[in-house]
Amino acid sequence: MAEGAADKIRVAVLISGRGSNLEALAEYRRTADPAYEIVLVASNVPDARGLVLARRFRLETWARSHLGMSRDAFDALLDAELRRHDIELVVLAGYMRLLSPTFVSAWQDRILNIHPSLLPAHKGLDTHRRALLAGDLEHGCSVHVVTDGLDEGPVIAQARVRIAARDDPDTLAARVLKEEHQLYPRALDAYARKLLEERADGRTRLV
Ligand code: GRF
């Protein structure tokens, strides 16, 4: 086991963009004693704003553009980096790239994602506009375990917001994002706690 608290689950956060969820996940330890420790922030976009935030939190970063590489080749590099850091749980936070089936199956039950809709409604992109167009009365965000299908896999936590008549995609997105920042650290903490219990029982399936 590499350096770090043995009573924490070693997490890598994968990002592609602004990193506000990463920030919420990193901030959480200021007010709580989470069961996770962010050991690595990895990105497929070398100039992602989230990397700047990561460095501000003194988190180790790894950035490599996927351009010109096959999905399998890029994910193999990423996989090697995660293993080099003894990562136990992969947390997608605005990671705008599909993971290869090989990667997803190697990390089965060890990848979480946050999606800005009340899954199973509105998988994919542009969820806020689609919720408004559908005439939904409520919208929100979901944390789920990642499986092969896009935005599929068991939902472990959700937060709801009411849609107001005056909402447009931007106002709705802003309210949902606020909820994401509350939901994700708590959902990750609970999931990591469960993994720690499994580890204590000797039930942990090492990746
Ligand atoms: C969030 O809305 C998240 O739900 C989605 O991508 C966005 C990432 O935002 N998967 P940020 O990079 O965390 O600010």
Side-chain angles (χ1 to χ4, degrees), residues 15-23 49 92-96 113-117 128 141-142 173 176-177 180-181:
I15 60 166
S16 301
R18 78 190 150 180
S20 70
N21 276 288
L22 163 68
E23 189 172 13
R49 173 185 171 264
L92 309 184
Y95 187 65
M96 301 304 285
N113 181 41
I114 188 157
H115 181 73
S117 80
H128 310 300
C141 49
S142 309
V176 170
L177 191 62
E180 291 185 34
H181 297 161

Side-chain angles (χ1 to χ4, degrees), residues 72-199:
D72 279 332
F74 183 81
D75 285 0
L77 278 184
L78 176 61
D79 182 81
E81 192 63 17
L82 299 178
R83 289 172 195 276
R84 201 167 74 76
H85 286 84
D86 289 330
I87 296 301
E88 297 169 282
L89 186 57
V90 179
V91 172
L92 309 184
Y95 187 65
M96 301 304 285
R97 189 168 161 77
L98 285 177
L99 293 162
S100 64
T102 308
F103 185 97
V104 172
S105 103
W107 291 86
Q108 191 190 347
D109 296 330
R110 297 305 187 101
I111 313 174
L112 298 183
N113 181 41
I114 188 157
H115 181 73
S117 80
L118 293 174
L119 289 172
H122 311 308
K123 296 172 183 167
L125 297 173
D126 215 6
T127 56
H128 310 300
R129 192 180 59 83
R130 288 195 284 136
L132 289 169
L133 280 177
D136 294 352
L137 297 176
E138 57 175 11
H139 186 43
C141 49
S142 309
V143 177
H144 68 97
V145 179
V146 171
T147 57
D148 259 342
L150 175 70
D151 299 325
E152 284 177 6
V155 171
I156 60 167
Q158 285 187 316
R160 294 166 184 274
V161 305
R162 290 173 75 109
I163 296 184
R166 60 175 187 285
D167 266 324
D168 62 33
D170 291 339
T171 59
L172 191 52
R175 274 211 317 294
V176 170
L177 191 62
K178 250 182 156 168
E179 294 297 328
E180 291 185 34
H181 297 161
Q182 296 298 313
L183 183 71
Y184 212 3
R186 287 169 178 77
L188 171 57
D189 191 12
Y191 199 80
R193 233 162 263 283
K194 202 188 72 182
L195 290 180
L196 278 180
E197 281 164 22
E198 288 179 11
R199 193 208 263 165

Side-chain angles (χ1 to χ4, degrees), residues 19-20 22-30 38 41 50-60:
S20 70
L22 163 68
E23 189 172 13
L25 295 170
E27 282 281 352
Y28 190 61
R29 68 167 175 219
R30 291 190 207 267
I38 302 175
V41 176
L51 289 170
V52 178
L53 289 175
R55 292 182 196 116
R56 209 173 284 162
F57 281 100
R58 305 203 185 292
L59 297 171
E60 186 167 341

